[in-house]
Amino acid sequence: MTDSPPSLRDLAARAGRWTLRGAAVGVTLSLVLLAVTSPKGATDTAFALGALVLGFGVFAWATAVGLGETLRGVQQYVDVGSAWTEAGAREAFFVLSWAGAGWAFAAALVSVALGV
C-alpha cells in the first residue's frame, strides 16, 4: 500500500511553517551581522545567503524530480546500499526552498525597516 500524496492544504501549511522559520533566520542573521558591519552590509549578506539557500533548494529539487528514476536505476545497477529516495530528496529540497525564500524575504524587510 502506498502513501497518498499530501493535499494542497497540507503542502501550503508546511510551506508556510518553513517560510516562517527561514524568515526567523533571516531576521536574526541580519541583526547579528549588525554587530560586525554596516546595516547595508548586514542585510545584503543575509539576503545573499538566503537567496543562495533558495537557489540551491530549487535547483536540487528540480534535479531530484527530473532525474529521480535515473538515480534510482543507477543505485540499483551499482548495488549501493543507500537510504536515498526520490521522495526524501523532494522533501529535503522543499524545506530548503521555502526556508530560503523566507530568509531572503525577511532580510529584505529588515533592510527596508533599517532604511538602507
Side-chain angles (χ1 to χ4, degrees):
M1 184 174 179
T2 61
D3 294 329
S4 62
S7 70
L8 186 57
R9 175 176 277 164
D10 292 338
L11 285 175
R14 287 179 33 227
R17 283 193 300 272
W18 283 109
T19 302
L20 288 175
R21 290 173 182 157
V25 171
V27 169
T28 303
L29 185 61
S30 295
L31 297 177
V32 166
L33 287 172
L34 282 174
V36 294
T37 187
S38 67
K40 180 168 177 33
T43 56
D44 284 357
T45 301
F47 177 83
L49 291 172
L52 181 67
V53 170
L54 170 62
F56 177 75
V58 170
F59 172 75
W61 174 82
T63 302
V65 169
L67 297 176
E69 291 294 321
T70 302
L71 292 172
R72 185 178 4 260
V74 168
Q75 206 174 23
Q76 290 173 348
Y77 178 76
V78 179
D79 195 27
V80 175
S82 171
W84 183 92
T85 64
E86 182 182 351
R90 285 194 321 260
E91 173 71 21
F93 299 126
F94 172 90
V95 167
L96 281 179
S97 298
W98 284 105
W103 180 340
F105 185 73
L109 289 180
V110 171
S111 178
V112 170
L114 295 176
V116 293

